[in-house]
């Protein structure tokens, strides 16, 4: 299984500012995923990040609002830009196990973001 | 469009009880189904994964079943303990095996009272 860490674990931000969330994995993975969990809602996939290429965004999410970097096979960042209170959510990084337990997906501890 | 529903939204039981959490999905053409538990500040922990060709999976006190044709899965927890208190999430992946794009339910918040 993969061990995933995220920074920061939580933050309180002002409207109009940006926050960059970091995700570190203890092994090399091809694809990393970013999810959002709004209060009382399901987790929703924001985008898929492959190393060396542009991230692929799901419907309703755009690169200008959620720019993603993927500089190597163990690290990715998600930036939440020009934040509004509607961006208050838990943001989770995820990877897929391409080894033993095929197709099992693992998640980081999440970043709890509150926008005032 | 795939939709995943979990019932009940919350459940409180005394320690030692056996319990069942329910998950239903609208499109039976799934690749697999995964159950997670979510603890505050600790993200999601994968509990069990059932491939579309399987009927059930077991791990310790947990047993997950899948009835793909009827769009249902259950998570059975035997002899519940206070440490089982968490939110349990069900997620399905579409038949094309679209990596990463799990469709989640809203979860069942379980509280096991000592």
């Amino acid at each position: 299984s993969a061990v995933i860490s995220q920074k920061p674990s939580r933050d309180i931000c002002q409207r109009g500012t940006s926050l960059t969330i970091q995700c570190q994995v203890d092994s090399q993975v091809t694809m990393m995923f970013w999810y959002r969990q709004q209060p009382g809602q399901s987790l929703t996939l924001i985008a898929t990040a492959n190393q060396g290429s542009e991230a692929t965004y799901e419907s309703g999410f755009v690169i200008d609002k959620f720019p993603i970097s993927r500089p190597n096979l163990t690290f990715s960042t998600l930036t939440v830009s020009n934040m509004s209170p509607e961006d208050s959510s838990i943001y989770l990084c995820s990877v897929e196990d391409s080894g033993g337990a095929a197709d099992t997906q693992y998640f980081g501890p999440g970043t709890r973001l509150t926008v005032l | 469009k795939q939709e995943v529903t979990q019932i009940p939204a919350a459940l409180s039981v005394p320690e030692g009880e056996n319990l069942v959490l329910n998950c239903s999905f609208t499109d039976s053409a799934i690749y697999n189904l995964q159950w997670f538990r979510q603890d505050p500040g600790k993200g999601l922990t994968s509990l069990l994964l059932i491939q579309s060709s399987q009927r059930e999976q077991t791990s310790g006190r947990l047993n997950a079943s899948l009835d793909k044709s009827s769009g249902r899965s259950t998570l059975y927890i035997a002899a519940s303990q206070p440490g089982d208190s968490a939110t349990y999430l069900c997620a399905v992946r579409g038949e094309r095996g679209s990596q990463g794009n799990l469709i989640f339910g809203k979860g069942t918040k379980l509280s096991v009272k000592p």
Side-chain angles (χ1 to χ4, degrees), chain B:
Chain B
K1 179 185 173 185
Q2 178 73 272
E3 293 184 1
V4 179
T5 303
Q6 292 187 245
I7 296 173
L11 181 64
S12 181
V13 300
E15 182 177 4
E17 264 201 18
N18 303 324
L19 58 100
V20 175
L21 307 182
N22 297 293
C23 172
S24 61
F25 44 96
T26 55
D27 186 349
S28 62
I30 65 168
Y31 185 71
N32 60 38
L33 182 146
Q34 198 165 351
W35 281 93
F36 297 87
R37 70 174 277 168
Q38 185 175 26
D39 296 278
K42 295 184 179 179
L44 276 67
T45 302
S46 177
L47 297 173
L48 291 164
L49 180 143
I50 310 177
Q51 301 291 356
S52 61
S53 58
Q54 297 175 325
R55 298 284 292 184
E56 66 176 343
Q57 284 286 332
T58 298
S59 176
R61 294 182 294 109
L62 306 180
N63 176 277
S65 69
L66 174 64
D67 185 342
K68 185 179 167 183
S69 61
S70 67
R72 295 177 188 275
S73 176
T74 62
L75 179 67
Y76 175 81
I77 302 177
S80 58
Q81 303 170 358
D84 295 329
S85 298
T87 297
Y88 289 80
L89 298 169
C90 167
V92 300
R93 177 167 298 165
E95 191 153 43
R96 296 180 194 173
S98 51
Q99 290 174 306
N101 200 2
L102 295 174
I103 308 299
F104 281 84
K106 293 184 179 181
T108 294
K109 187 173 183 178
L110 173 65
S111 176
V112 181
K113 306 294 186 184

